[in-house]
Amino acid sequence: MSIDPEPPAVEIDLTSQAFKRDPFPTLARMRGLGPVIRVRLPLFGKVWMATTYDAVNDLLRDHQRFVQSPATAGNRRMGAIVRWLPRSLKPLASNMLLRDPPDHRRLRSLVDQAFRRQSVEALRPRLEALADEALDRLEAARSPGGVDLLAHFARPFPLAVICEILGLPPEDRPMFTRWASQFSTATGFLGIVRGLVFGVRRLLRYARDEFRRQSVQPRGGLMAALIEAEEAGDRLTEDELVAMVFLVLAAGHETTLHQIAHNVLTLLDHPQQLAELRADWGLADSAAQELLRYVSFAQVSKPRYARADAEFYGRTIRRGQMIFACLAAANSDPAIFEAPERLDIHRQPNRHVAFGTGIHVCLGATLARVETAIAMERLFTRFPRFELAIPRLQVRFSARIGTRGLVALPVKW
Ligand code: HEM
């Protein structure tokens, strides 16, 4: 295979409303440019991106050549950003999504059990009860002009679930919602800095204080289990403890809430398939999987860095260079998925990579699947005459790069 070391970077619009509304044509264009392309992204500049199903899988599973830590790969610029983080934000760099083995293995093994299939299945009745409680509040917020499903159901439900798993007091949830939304709605450099200072810093300080409180008075839940592991000599630093809670809390609801809102929107766009689902909730898991593929909320992975110069799909990725996996492009690769731009709740097999793959595959994958399936079933069963409260074209998407979130989802019934 011939090696083209540095092709010119292409400009690809991954933030516009048009792209978020219908990403399939752009994703097809990206794949058409090659399995690994050079693109220019806002904030990041010129980076590499894997665009096909095979290239994405190979990238995310090659932990020898592609690593999470910029310092390991000699990327001084990104390494310096991590080093120069203020003390209050330092735990951000300790989270396991940014760590490589053996640290990653040590951290992940502490939380894996809580998110395994059996543990999640055992939680199912409680998840259903929390979904119903969130729906009670949605109903209470109902008004003739419509109600925002995102704020009144899609966010509170997964937040309640993850707080319960962590063992955080229910009365603190509105506070997390405020902080998290300060960060999650931020776009652009200044917005992100503001979000870090006002949202993330407060959340990190809260996690640190809560660890101290639970060291004396444990509440039961994952946080107490982590404190026990630390005390039993599992070599967790305080920053690592705080980072873990922050990661699980943030990743455990910011993702799922947008998936739930998108699922509702997508099913309303496909009334035939919604009717089939309503007639047979046995299809809920298969529908949840297909919606994960179709929506691909996490459109792009976190960056990987080449540990040394590497040849990858005919390109030379230089030591320290950044490479992303475009999960949305992999999930719509026609080499793997027949008619990928078509929603098909019966699709089998459905080996999507909406949760990534390799050692950093989503910790909460089973939980998210079960939560989104429960959310659909409870919502559409309770409110069968459910519709958008605004014209479809007025539904707005967050401009943030790499994810496909909605700003709001006004509905009525
Ligand atoms: C629909 C919902 C979700 C989606 C689409 C999603 C997506 C992802 C993706 C794509 C990754 C891998 C990123 C990469 O390799 O760069 C990931 C990792 C992760 N996710 Fe999720 N996620 C979801 C829900 C959750 C939930 C409910 C939790 C709660 C525990 C969670 C916790 C995590 C954690 C801790 C990681 C890092 C794992 C590691 O580094 O080993 N996610 N997620």
Side-chain angles (χ1 to χ4, degrees), residues 227-374:
I227 295 171
E228 243 175 62
E230 192 229 353
E231 287 169 353
D234 253 321
R235 292 180 299 114
L236 269 164
T237 64
E238 189 177 281
D239 272 1
E240 285 172 340
L241 281 175
V242 171
M244 185 68 87
V245 171
F246 173 78
L247 178 66
V248 170
L249 187 58
H253 92 283
E254 265 316 308
T255 48
T256 315
L257 84 90
H258 288 294
Q259 187 70 45
I260 291 174
H262 252 294
N263 286 2
V264 171
L265 181 65
T266 309
L267 287 171
L268 291 176
D269 284 344
H270 295 82
Q272 192 64 42
Q273 299 197 50
L274 176 55
E276 273 186 66
L277 194 53
R278 271 207 189 117
D280 177 8
W281 284 108
L283 289 168
D285 188 52
S286 153
Q289 291 280 38
E290 172 66 348
L291 286 157
L292 281 156
R293 183 198 71 81
Y294 186 85
V295 169
S296 286
F297 165 74
Q299 304 218 294
V300 175
S301 71
K302 294 282 175 280
R304 270 49 175 179
Y305 299 87
R307 195 198 289 266
D309 289 359
E311 280 175 29
F312 189 61
Y313 282 82
R315 303 294 194 199
T316 302
I317 319 291
R318 298 273 171 222
R319 171 171 158 78
Q321 281 188 331
M322 220 184 252
I323 176 164
F324 291 84
C326 187
L327 305 172
N331 281 340
S332 54
D333 187 341
I336 306 295
F337 303 100
E338 199 194 325
E341 63 296 329
R342 203 182 64 215
L343 181 80
D344 174 6
I345 59 168
H346 302 278
R347 194 180 286 275
Q348 290 291 348
N350 195 342
R351 284 189 285 270
H352 65 75
V353 284
F355 292 121
T357 183
I359 60 171
H360 291 280
V361 66
C362 179
L363 172 72
T366 306
L367 176 64
R369 270 172 54 186
V370 173
E371 266 182 280
T372 53
I374 290 176

